[in-house]
Amino acid sequence: QIDQEDGDEHELSPLPCHEALPRQRIQDTRENGRGQLRCMMSNHHPVLVFMQEAGLEQYADLLVTNGFDDMETLVEIDDLDMKDMGISLGHRRKLSKRLREWGAQSQQQQ
């Protein structure tokens, strides 16, 4: 994709998901074939890996683009946050349970 602002043409490069971008720029650079934002995350990103293991991979991009971009932040998410992002009730319960389990396991390792 080419950025033509101010008559200056240059190729857009992928931007990290955690950078604050105007919504239009995100849509221009991250829209996938289903009309959803697609985050440029590594397959080893801790939030993506956690969400894959929880069977909720479809929410990884949504969480990261909303600032839940590391596990320490993600464990602080509450039901209202998830509801505001459009996560279904059953998936909110599943995610909350998995996060409690992750937190307990993380504390045992310390």
Side-chain angles (χ1 to χ4, degrees), residues 25-85:
R25 183 60 156 273
I26 293 172
Q27 290 172 340
D28 288 346
T29 60
R30 308 263 187 250
E31 192 168 314
N32 69 16
R34 293 166 295 186
Q36 299 171 332
L37 296 182
R38 185 72 193 148
C39 189
M40 305 304 274
M41 269 191 288
S42 151
N43 288 336
H44 304 291
H45 191 284
V47 172
L48 177 59
V49 170
F50 175 82
M51 295 302 287
Q52 287 172 331
E53 291 172 356
L56 299 168
E57 178 182 359
Q58 68 269 33
Y59 299 112
D61 291 340
L62 178 67
L63 292 166
V64 170
T65 57
N66 277 281
F68 297 96
D69 54 359
D70 58 41
M71 290 306 298
E72 291 73 24
T73 306
L74 185 56
V75 296
E76 298 295 325
I77 197 169
D78 62 28
D79 193 65
L80 184 58
D81 294 329
M82 291 185 275
K83 185 176 181 178
D84 287 346
M85 286 187 276

